[in-house]
Amino acid sequence: MPTNKHKRKASAHAKPKTVKAPGLITSHPKAFILVGLLFVAISMYLLTFQAQDNAMFGLAMLSLIAGVVLVIYAKIAVTKKNHNKGRV
């Protein structure tokens, strides 16, 4: 056996950590859940009382879609944030 073994650096075996810049929704998910629910409430109001006009109907649909997507994305961010807190 050779007396001088080649030693590997410990950093060669370490897994690379990918650091993503935190976005606005991922940093404040609970606030964006409230904003999404506000969009949904506005769309329900527009559909209930102002839907006679085609423009208001379109605005209500856009608000509903944006609100639902925002709430779903913020819910995913909340679960990921809570899941990562448990790990040390």
Side-chain angles (χ1 to χ4, degrees):
M1 283 183 75
T3 57
N4 294 333
K5 288 186 178 180
H6 177 69
K7 294 183 179 180
R8 294 183 184 169
K9 290 184 177 180
S11 64
H13 296 292
K15 293 181 182 179
K17 294 181 180 178
T18 56
V19 177
K20 289 186 178 181
L24 192 60
I25 294 178
T26 56
S27 60
H28 305 290
K30 291 182 182 178
F32 278 94
I33 288 176
L34 292 176
V35 170
L37 291 176
L38 179 71
F39 278 160
V40 171
I42 288 172
S43 69
M44 290 297 135
Y45 170 77
L46 289 175
L47 282 173
T48 306
F49 299 111
Q50 305 291 327
Q52 294 86 11
D53 189 16
N54 285 337
M56 286 298 166
F57 180 76
L59 186 64
M61 286 292 118
L62 286 175
S63 176
L64 182 65
I65 292 168
V68 168
V69 168
L70 195 61
V71 167
I72 290 172
Y73 187 71
K75 283 259 191 193
I76 291 171
V78 164
T79 56
K80 284 185 180 178
K81 195 172 184 180
N82 288 342
H83 182 65
N84 289 338
K85 278 187 178 180
R87 294 185 179 178
V88 176

